[in-house]
Amino acid sequence: MTKFEEFENIVAKLRSPEGCPWDREQTHSSLKKPCIEEAAEVICGINILKETGNPDNLKEELGDLLLQVVMHARIAEEEGYFTMDDVIQGIIDKMVRRHPHVFGEAVVSESGEVLTRWDEIKKWEKEGKEWTEAYLPEAFDEAKKLIDEAAERKGFV
């Protein structure tokens, strides 16, 4: 068993009837606040690494952010939407598709070309799903509000 599988089993146990009442109560919506806070704490860990050379905080915060991903995937699986394997397969497919210069025949000589092709491929992927962009401004506003609330709770405002 891999460490990732072990971790998935821990999250499944936490969400089980014999698990933790708090973990069982969580939903996609209730996890918005911890998800955005953990993402901010990853940024903090990156800054600490850059300033001090100490990777310990970044390692811890990446684990906390991974917990958010695994919890959301577990909840989605319980709801019959998708599994963690589906999430992983989706990102595998996307990375291969968006890197034809690595996994295909395309040739690029500089990172600017990579970004241009990435944007072209992303535009092609989003065809027929343009309506999802309409939700993005509200999501950014909500994320900003959640960050502001977290900063206030932690005494930084």
Side-chain angles (χ1 to χ4, degrees):
M1 175 184 304
T2 67
K3 290 293 179 186
F4 187 76
E5 291 166 328
E6 181 181 356
F7 184 53
E8 284 184 298
N9 289 339
I10 288 169
V11 171
K13 176 74 172 178
L14 290 170
R15 299 244 337 138
S16 75
E18 305 81 36
C20 173
W22 184 89
D23 288 288
R24 279 194 311 269
E25 292 172 359
Q26 298 315 299
T27 66
H28 294 298
S29 292
S30 72
L31 289 173
K32 286 179 181 181
K33 186 187 324 182
C35 189
I36 199 78
E37 287 181 22
E38 296 303 346
E41 290 173 4
V42 166
I43 293 170
C44 178
I46 293 167
N47 294 344
I48 289 169
L49 175 61
K50 181 181 176 189
E51 293 295 318
T52 70
N54 186 329
D56 292 343
N57 185 261
L58 178 58
K59 178 176 63 175
E60 177 182 345
E61 298 306 341
L62 286 171
D64 292 346
L65 187 59
L66 179 61
L67 172 60
Q68 296 303 309
V69 173
V70 173
M71 282 284 282
H72 280 284
R74 180 67 195 178
I75 292 166
E77 182 173 354
E78 292 166 4
E79 294 171 339
Y81 293 131
F82 55 81
T83 68
M84 178 55 82
D85 281 351
D86 296 328
V87 172
I88 293 169
Q89 190 61 58
I91 195 63
I92 288 170
D93 294 346
K94 183 186 288 186
M95 290 299 97
V96 169
R97 198 171 47 247
R98 291 192 185 176
H99 291 86
H101 55 286
V102 176
F103 302 104
E105 302 297 319
V107 176
V108 296
S109 59
E110 60 180 40
S111 63
E113 288 179 73
V114 172
L115 294 176
T116 299
R117 286 177 186 247
W118 180 284
D119 289 339
E120 290 169 359
I121 294 166
K122 187 174 178 181
K123 185 178 177 183
W124 171 79
E125 291 171 343
K126 299 292 183 182
E127 284 180 11
K129 300 182 221 169
E130 294 84 0
W131 60 271
T132 62
E133 292 288 318
Y135 288 84
L136 204 47
E138 183 180 327
F140 277 121
D141 290 342
E142 184 177 4
K144 183 181 180 330
K145 180 179 177 231
L146 290 169
I147 287 288
D148 291 346
E149 289 171 0
E152 187 174 327
R153 252 189 335 278
K154 293 184 182 255
F156 298 123
V157 177

